[in-house]
Amino acid sequence: MMEEFIVRDFLGRIVTIYCGGIATFKGKVKECGNGFVRLEIVQGRYTSIAIDKIITITA
């Protein structure tokens, strides 16, 4: 359900994802599936975040 929400509302957009403490990630949502969201944080550099660790996502 969360994957569908992220794909529908945030795919291709620049977002900030907060996972608690100092864990904040900003980048363009490139894909979402298998329990992870993948962000392009800098051109050609990516990070993957487990969806169950996301507290907030904003665009």
Side-chain angles (χ1 to χ4, degrees):
M1 184 166 170
M2 183 70 148
E3 289 178 15
E4 296 159 356
F5 167 71
I6 292 171
V7 168
R8 184 185 67 234
D9 292 354
F10 297 109
L11 190 65
R13 296 181 67 187
I14 295 174
V15 299
T16 300
I17 295 177
Y18 175 66
C19 297
I22 61 169
T24 302
F25 305 89
K26 184 173 184 174
K28 182 183 278 191
V29 178
K30 298 303 269 185
E31 60 184 293
C32 183
N34 297 320
F36 290 89
V37 61
R38 186 170 188 202
L39 298 182
E40 184 174 24
I41 54 173
V42 178
Q43 187 174 4
R45 293 192 61 206
Y46 300 87
T47 191
S48 296
I49 303 156
I51 290 174
D52 65 344
K53 302 298 181 192
I54 296 173
I55 295 173
T56 63
I57 182 169
T58 56

